[in-house]
Amino acid sequence: MIKTSYEFDQSILAAGSSLKTDILLRFRTDIAKSPRRNLNLSLVIDRSGSMAGAPLHHALKAAESVVDQLEPDDILSVVVYDDEVDSVVPPQAVTNKSTLKNSIRKVRAGGITNLSGGWLKGCEHVKTRLDPQKINRVLLLTDGHANMGIQDPKILTATAGQKAEEGIITTTLGFAQGFNEDLLIGMARAATGNFYFIQSIDEATEVFSIELDSLRAVVGQNLKVTLELANGVSLVDTLSLAKVSQNDAGQTVITLGELYEGEDKLLGLSLGISSAQVGDLPVMKLHYSADVVQDDRIQSVSGTVDVVAKVGTIEEAAFAATSHIILELSRLTIAKAKETGLHLAEHGKHQEAEQTLRSLVKDLRDKGLNENFEIAEEIDQLEYFASRIAQKALGNAGRKEMRDQTYQTMTRNRSDLVGRGVTTGDEVYAMPIVNEVGSGVELHCVREGGKLRVKVMSEGYDSTKNIQFPRAIRAEGARYVVEGLELSSDATFYRVRGKITRFAQPGETDIFVAPRQSYPANTGKASKGPASAADLPTTDSVGDSILVQCVKDGSKLRARVVSDGYEPDWNMRFPRSVREEGMLYVVDEVKTAPDGKSYIACGEIKRFVQPT
């Protein structure tokens, strides 16, 4: 069975007309601890040129960690793709883990990104072993944009929805900074799967483990709710990213997807009430249905809940306690504001976007919610994003953080997924610097689970407590000196007091003197090669250089650019002496030739070798 409950933002609503209220609906499976369901899983991993080096290395390590966590009754397949799609592990039971991991270790970086081809092959593998009693899932990882095969986001998103109707759910994982977050989030939403932003590539294993934990905890799927609103009640907004549609009766239907053991599925709604008299006010009938685990089998369940609000006089409403769910509603409201702010900014309404975020900050503070650490952290995030938007400097990383934070808060109820983001702002480089702590308090910024946290290093303070600290000047590894720290009202976290300076230890290299970006010298001169590829210097990283691949084109060997942002079909002027089929090269610079439809490799050429 499914246990449902609801609460309004005010325990007693004031009688009158034109009321607006927020309600939090909560869904949870009400069954005894269920046995772990077996998995039918396909890992689909991008091995295109942009993944060369550390990104692919960490992705493959994460894939190996998945193998280690699976059971013999689980089914696994592994697909890798560039412009070619290969099934390095065909669908099979996980009975020989060492063999499976050896197959994964042999994967090497290649060419351009046929995302659709790789993903559809993974779906095909899951379909061959499709079992409604199993969790049937494709995990799609990419760091770039689809530039081969089906590239239209609308088609890919619609297809993800179609595959979900067939019982094949897709989870998407965006790696580093080059991927299309709108595409991956769109596919995940359409498929009722999950989305993850792996901002730091060394966190791939951790994020894969979060998804596996989620899959093991699935106790219900295809949760849908239908809102049968009472007369005089209207739906103003949905605090969710779930799919919203209308049935034949004109009622709102919301598809919430999966239910996880031990994790409430939350749905926030903003409602308008035309008028309300003192007493019990019927608000809606809530109809729900889902497929849940019962007696070790998947069974369909459904039910109806009558949602009733308590209405009192203005005085009774004023003295009534604020509902304890105000924190959860606030988190959903914050996520909605981020979504709205980003939408406004991308339509040129930067001032309105900034005001949307700053107005919410003021409202949260006026309610005293900044005394809760997680809300205080969200306030710092809102101020950070508002400032970035006002300066028209949100950037690619900031946009991805906003979209990810919105997605995680409005689709999941896990503290380890919300508020993630480790982008370093330019402000840290402009901070005043001190070389001794003196009478101040030393702090240190560290990365914890995809978040930047600030901890106290000076004696006399509780080093386990978090510190509310401006998001704009957080940078992993940075140290600071502040005048003092003060405890929050509930003594659960610290706040900074007084001036903040950056601390640079005498004799140590200060990595935050200026942005640490170095670029190869652009000579503008066409590259010259040695006698053979074997004579080229080697490298296991691409950095800010350009990755080039040599491919067979008919009877000829052709060089092409496989780094994102270039046309892979253009020819390239590249030394013939070092061309070898399938080989990858790292070049300093690529220029567009005078004909405007081909490239010239410039500067030094190195042979790329996959790190081990």
Side-chain angles (χ1 to χ4, degrees):
M1 294 294 293
I2 296 178
K3 183 178 180 181
T4 63
S5 61
Y6 63 89
E7 293 178 87
F8 290 89
D9 55 354
Q10 290 289 331
S11 55
I12 299 178
L13 306 183
S17 59
S18 301
L19 304 181
K20 180 180 178 297
T21 184
D22 292 336
I23 182 174
L24 184 70
L25 305 171
R26 194 184 305 269
F27 304 87
R28 177 186 282 256
T29 53
D30 187 21
I31 57 177
K33 187 176 179 63
S34 60
R36 173 190 178 278
R37 290 171 65 185
N38 293 327
L39 305 180
N40 174 19
L41 183 66
S42 184
L43 301 181
V44 180
I45 299 174
D46 185 346
R47 64 163 179 200
S48 63
S50 55
M51 287 286 288
L56 185 59
H57 173 75
H58 285 290
L60 297 180
K61 287 293 184 184
E64 289 185 52
S65 75
V66 169
V67 174
D68 285 331
Q69 297 174 66
L70 296 179
E71 301 292 337
D73 290 333
D74 293 323
I75 301 297
L76 176 69
S77 59
V78 180
V79 176
V80 294
Y81 65 94
D82 49 357
D83 43 336
E84 296 183 355
V85 176
D86 292 322
S87 298
V88 296
V89 176
Q92 58 189 273
V94 185
T95 54
N96 191 330
K97 294 185 177 183
S98 61
T99 299
L100 295 176
K101 289 193 289 185
N102 283 336
S103 297
I104 292 171
R105 292 187 190 116
K106 294 176 182 177
V107 174
R108 294 293 179 264
I112 55 181
T113 309
N114 185 359
L115 181 147
S116 63
W119 170 58
L120 290 172
K121 176 59 71 173
C123 292
E124 178 185 316
H125 287 329
V126 170
K127 188 173 182 177
T128 62
R129 300 293 188 95
L130 194 66
D131 183 347
Q133 300 303 320
K134 285 185 168 70
I135 301 297
N136 302 286
R137 185 73 59 124
V138 176
L139 270 59
L140 170 64
L141 181 144
T142 183
D143 78 327
H145 289 244
N147 53 19
M148 186 180 180
I150 302 171
Q151 302 172 43
D152 188 331
K154 292 182 180 179
I155 295 176
L156 290 168
T157 299
T159 305
Q162 292 170 3
K163 294 297 181 185
E165 292 176 0
E166 298 173 13
I168 303 168
I169 307 300
T170 298
T171 282
T172 58
L173 303 101
F175 215 48
Q177 300 294 339
F179 67 93
N180 181 343
E181 61 270 26
D182 294 338
L183 170 62
L184 296 194
I185 289 176
M187 290 178 67
R189 288 180 62 183
T192 64
N194 296 316
F195 162 77
Y196 301 96
F197 174 24
I198 308 177
Q199 192 167 11
S200 302
I201 59 176
D202 57 351
E203 292 177 350
T205 297
E206 175 190 349
V207 174
F208 271 57
S209 293
I210 291 175
E211 173 66 0
L212 274 184
D213 288 343
S214 297
L215 297 183
R216 293 191 192 97
V218 171
V219 289
Q221 292 177 288
N222 306 315
L223 174 62
K224 289 186 178 181
V225 298
T226 301
L227 310 180
E228 184 182 342
L229 300 176
N231 291 334
V233 179
S234 60
L235 178 62
V236 177
D237 201 0
T238 304
L239 302 179
S240 171
L241 290 179
K243 180 182 177 181
V244 179
S245 59
Q246 301 288 319
N247 62 15
D248 293 338
Q251 298 166 339
T252 298
V253 180
I254 303 173
T255 302
L256 294 172
E258 295 176 330
L259 287 161
Y260 303 97
E261 187 173 23
E263 180 180 333
D264 289 345
K265 179 71 74 172
L266 304 180
L267 173 62
L269 303 174
S270 291
L271 303 175
I273 301 175
S274 59
S275 64
Q277 305 298 320
V278 173
D280 290 340
L281 174 69
V283 174
M284 74 174 85
K285 286 184 180 294
L286 180 72
H287 308 285
Y288 64 85
S289 64
D291 299 322
V292 301
V293 178
Q294 284 188 330
D295 301 324
D296 297 338
R297 304 293 296 174
I298 306 298
Q299 301 182 34
S300 296
V301 299
S302 60
T304 298
V305 175
D306 290 313
V307 177
V308 179
K310 185 174 180 59
V311 181
T313 64
I314 294 177
E315 291 78 14
E316 289 173 330
F319 286 105
T322 300
S323 174
H324 68 277
I325 53 95
I326 194 67
L327 288 176
E328 289 169 305
L329 277 173
S330 293
R331 294 186 186 101
L332 294 175
T333 302
I334 290 167
K336 189 72 175 183
K338 290 176 185 175
E339 181 184 46
T340 301
L342 182 59
H343 177 78
L344 289 169
E346 294 189 335
H347 286 78
K349 300 178 181 179
H350 294 86
Q351 186 174 357
E352 188 177 346
E354 178 193 9
Q355 186 59 37
T356 296
L357 301 183
R358 295 202 187 278
S359 293
L360 180 56
V361 168
K362 182 179 184 303
D363 182 57
L364 294 169
R365 285 188 168 134
D366 288 345
K367 293 178 179 177
L369 296 177
N370 57 322
E371 291 300 325
N372 173 275
F373 177 70
E374 295 302 329
I375 299 298
E377 284 284 272
E378 288 285 12
I379 287 174
D380 276 327
Q381 294 275 11
L382 289 169
E383 290 182 324
Y384 170 73
F385 290 133
S387 175
R388 283 283 182 272
I389 287 173
Q391 299 168 33
K392 300 181 181 179
L394 182 62
N396 176 51
R399 185 185 193 278
K400 283 179 167 57
E401 288 184 5
M402 284 191 79
R403 291 231 58 193
D404 178 62
Q405 290 176 16
T406 295
Y407 179 89
Q408 301 301 345
T409 301
M410 298 179 80
T411 58
R412 298 296 301 272
N413 190 22
R414 288 184 59 139
S415 60
D416 56 351
L417 289 177
V418 300
R420 293 168 67 95
V422 297
T423 303
T424 298
D426 294 337
E427 290 88 342
V428 70
Y429 301 106
M431 290 182 68
I433 301 172
V434 296
N435 299 117
E436 58 182 23
V437 178
S439 60
V441 180
E442 183 180 356
L443 310 179
H444 184 216
C445 184
V446 297
R447 173 160 54 96
E448 290 183 350
K451 306 174 187 180
L452 292 176
R453 297 294 201 198
V454 176
K455 304 289 186 179
V456 62
M457 299 183 69
S458 295
E459 294 183 357
Y461 295 89
D462 185 348
S463 61
T464 64
K465 282 184 167 60
N466 286 310
I467 300 172
Q468 185 185 2
F469 193 85
R471 173 65 180 86
I473 56 175
R474 297 188 197 189
E476 183 181 0
R479 296 159 73 180
Y480 313 89
V481 174
V482 299
E483 291 183 18
L485 296 176
E486 58 187 24
L487 281 170
S488 61
S489 60
D490 62 358
T492 59
F493 66 96
Y494 291 115
R495 284 196 176 89
V496 171
R497 177 169 51 80
K499 183 179 179 182
I500 304 175
T501 54
R502 192 166 56 77
F503 177 52
Q505 184 78 29
E508 294 183 1
T509 301
D510 185 356
I511 62 174
F512 296 105
V513 169
R516 300 184 69 196
Q517 290 184 314
S518 59
Y519 299 93
N522 293 338
T523 64
K525 296 181 179 180
S527 302
K528 295 182 178 181
S532 70
D535 298 316
L536 288 171
T538 61
T539 181
D540 63 359
S541 65
V542 179
D544 296 311
S545 299
I546 313 298
L547 196 70
V548 174
Q549 183 188 38
C550 184
V551 295
K552 193 74 173 289
D553 188 359
S555 60
K556 299 179 180 179
L557 290 176
R558 182 173 73 86
R560 65 176 182 181
V561 184
V562 293
S563 290
D564 286 341
Y566 293 86
E567 296 292 339
D569 295 330
W570 285 15
N571 288 319
M572 167 176 270
R573 181 178 170 186
F574 193 84
R576 294 186 180 277
S577 62
V578 297
R579 296 187 192 185
E580 289 189 14
E581 184 179 359
M583 185 168 287
L584 292 172
Y585 313 85
V586 177
V587 302
D588 288 343
E589 182 187 3
V590 169
K591 292 174 57 179
T592 300
D595 63 7
K597 56 183 180 182
S598 63
Y599 293 121
I600 302 173
C602 299
E604 185 180 20
I605 301 175
K606 296 179 181 178
R607 181 162 51 87
F608 176 80
V609 293
Q610 181 72 27
T612 57

